[in-house]
Amino acid sequence: MLRRFDQSHALDGSIDDIVRAIKAFVARWRRGDASIVEDDFTANLRNIVPTRPRSP
């Protein structure tokens, strides 16, 4: 799953940006404003942390 994400996307931001994004997602999830797609790991990461598509 991580390999598929790594082939199509890259994390975009500093470690601090990523940690803030994860904390913000957890807060949205606890409020019921966010969800996790059980069968799409890449979609989950794109919804949780800052990412950018990799160039072909």
Side-chain angles (χ1 to χ4, degrees):
M1 287 185 284
L2 187 54
R3 180 179 297 170
R4 183 178 297 158
F5 171 82
D6 191 47
Q7 290 172 344
S8 62
H9 290 79
L11 296 178
D12 190 26
S14 68
I15 295 296
D16 290 338
D17 294 337
I18 293 167
V19 169
R20 274 192 298 275
I22 292 169
K23 288 179 179 180
F25 173 81
V26 169
R28 290 191 316 271
W29 184 69
R30 287 184 177 157
R31 287 192 310 265
D33 295 335
S35 61
I36 295 173
V37 181
E38 291 187 24
D39 61 343
D40 194 341
F41 184 76
T42 298
N44 290 326
L45 280 180
R46 287 191 339 249
N47 288 329
I48 297 169
V49 297
T51 63
R52 61 179 165 74
R54 288 196 184 273
S55 300

